[in-house]
Amino acid sequence: MYRGKTIGVVVTAYNEESFVGEVIETVPAFVDRIYVVDDASPDGCWDVIQRVSARINDNATPERAVADGGESRRVVPIRHAENRGYGAAVKSGYERAVADGIDVVAVMNGDGQMDPEILDRIVDPVVAGEADYAKGNRLRNPGDRRGMSTFRFVGNALLTGLSKFSTGYWSISDPQNGYTAISSDAIEALDLGAVTDEYGFLNHLLTHLNVRGFRVADVPMRAVYGDEESSIRYVTFIRFVSTLLLRSFLWRLRVRYVRHEFHPAVLFYAAGSVGLLAGTAGFVGSVVEAARDGDGLTASMTAVLTLLVSTMSLAAAITMDAEENEALEVTYDERDSTPTGDRDRIER
């Protein structure tokens, strides 16, 4: 129990035999229940999970138990029969936690990259009712990203930019950060079956949260990397997530700005996108014409003007989109600061 709320932690694991045991053992004492989900690891991960869970459960006191039909385990091991993806592992933990009556559910990966000592900072916005979902952010403060390689930083920065379009949370950064917390009410309101099971889960979940009008908090945290090896295949991951973000962006516009209530931002997005494509094609055509006939000035000027107007249209769309979603964003300037701005909930 933490500040009057029951807290659960989902620990996701795939081929984390060397790290997952320590992650389970270092989960803070205020956490009522730990759901360790092994996504069909081919290594000895499941054996470690069972052994550590049994030891912790044997030493658990009755008052640490969550009321769920008399079960007194503090650690609940869950194993997928086949590998289903990171998102599926998180969903399995979410669903079990909601069934157990947990109020706030955090997620920590089994690779040891998430500092258990700051778990209270991650769950605080949700426990206090300031947000429905909270996530770590390693990019906001320069000092926090010192442990992040240039490759990781550039990749995260690019995904942050693309995710702003997709999710509608324009001041939220580091969308790939899996150190998160969510209220049970939000879990039950979301259609988890419509959220991808793959590693794009975190980005896709943010889009679904936005469409449902949930508030998201960005909590600064330090980047931590050790000797773990990522199971992500980056070329496949980037291709999959880029396509997912584009589909999510179009889906969000259709649901929020067309189906629910018409918003002019969708017109500016459409006009700007079409104009950019037409202007780019026109400019390329004018260059080809100039090279062939030596006369492409008029076409070039028309293309440049089209590109300029299209850029202005997209800028207007982004501005309107950001203003529409500002009430859903809770950001922190420093680790111990209070959230900035007026963050009233918008009607779902």
Side-chain angles (χ1 to χ4, degrees), residues 31-45:
V31 172
D32 299 280
R33 180 150 291 178
I34 307 166
Y35 303 91
V36 190
V37 185
D38 176 20
D39 194 26
S41 299
D43 66 354
C45 188

Side-chain angles (χ1 to χ4, degrees), residues 166-170 190 204-214 216 251-252 256-257 321 324-325 328-329 346:
S166 171
T167 67
Y169 294 109
W170 287 90
L190 291 169
H204 206 198
L205 181 64
L206 282 170
T207 305
H208 280 259
L209 288 165
N210 180 275
V211 168
R212 293 305 300 262
F214 285 113
V216 172
W251 175 74
R252 179 175 70 87
R256 282 203 59 188
Y257 294 160
D321 198 8
E324 182 69 18
N325 290 286
L328 298 180
E329 299 170 312
I346 69 170

Side-chain angles (χ1 to χ4, degrees), residues 68-331:
D68 64 345
E71 186 176 322
S72 60
R73 293 184 297 173
R74 185 180 184 231
V75 184
V76 178
I78 301 170
R79 191 185 195 193
H80 290 168
E82 58 184 21
N83 183 255
R84 293 163 51 192
Y86 171 78
V90 176
K91 292 181 195 178
S92 293
Y94 278 175
E95 291 163 356
R96 183 60 185 270
V98 168
D100 288 349
I102 299 295
D103 296 317
V104 178
V105 188
V107 176
M108 297 175 66
N109 295 342
D111 56 10
Q113 289 186 9
M114 296 168 182
D115 184 358
E117 293 186 4
I118 68 167
L119 179 61
D120 57 341
R121 291 213 316 268
I122 301 296
V123 302
D124 272 343
V126 182
V127 170
E130 296 168 353
D132 306 287
Y133 181 82
K135 53 171 290 298
N137 182 354
R138 300 160 295 185
L139 305 181
R140 181 172 294 275
N141 299 321
D144 288 339
R145 54 179 184 259
R146 286 175 184 163
M148 184 179 295
S149 67
T150 301
F151 176 77
R152 286 180 184 266
F153 173 72
V154 172
N156 273 284
L158 289 173
L159 281 174
T160 291
L162 293 174
S163 292
K164 290 179 185 294
F165 284 93
S166 171
T167 67
Y169 294 109
W170 287 90
S171 68
I172 301 298
S173 301
D174 198 12
Q176 290 304 117
N177 196 318
Y179 207 170
T180 65
I182 188 172
S183 69
S184 59
D185 289 341
I187 294 174
E188 292 183 286
L190 291 169
D191 179 9
L192 288 179
V195 184
T196 182
D197 287 342
E198 305 296 333
Y199 267 100
F201 170 82
L202 294 166
N203 310 76
H204 206 198
L205 181 64
L206 282 170
T207 305
H208 280 259
L209 288 165
N210 180 275
V211 168
R212 293 305 300 262
F214 285 113
R215 298 162 298 172
V216 172
D218 224 12
V219 182
M221 61 172 281
R222 182 171 59 88
V224 178
Y225 298 102
D227 299 326
E228 68 287 338
E229 294 183 6
S230 175
S231 60
I232 298 176
R233 299 296 176 262
Y234 284 99
V235 174
T236 303
F237 170 75
I238 292 171
R239 183 168 58 247
F240 174 80
V241 171
S242 298
T243 303
L244 176 67
L245 291 177
L246 176 59
R247 295 202 321 264
S248 298
F249 170 65
L250 296 174
W251 175 74
R252 179 175 70 87
L253 294 187
R254 184 175 72 252
V255 175
R256 282 203 59 188
Y257 294 160
V258 177
R259 186 187 304 171
H260 286 179
E261 183 178 0
F262 180 78
H263 194 286
V266 72
L267 292 180
F268 283 89
Y269 271 128
S273 299
V274 172
L276 277 180
L277 291 175
T280 301
F283 185 77
V284 172
S286 69
V287 172
V288 173
E289 182 181 350
R292 184 180 62 240
D293 304 327
D295 183 17
L297 180 60
T298 301
S300 296
M301 292 181 63
T302 301
V304 170
L305 180 60
T306 300
L307 289 171
L308 179 60
V309 173
S310 300
T311 301
M312 293 173 62
S313 179
L314 285 176
I318 291 170
T319 300
M320 288 186 284
D321 198 8
E323 289 176 350
E324 182 69 18
N325 290 286
E326 185 179 6
L328 298 180
E329 299 170 312
V330 183
T331 58

Side-chain angles (χ1 to χ4, degrees), residues 118 120-121 124 141 219-220 332-339:
I118 68 167
D120 57 341
R121 291 213 316 268
D124 272 343
N141 299 321
V219 182
Y332 292 78
D333 292 327
E334 299 294 340
R335 286 191 178 87
D336 298 323
S337 69
T338 55

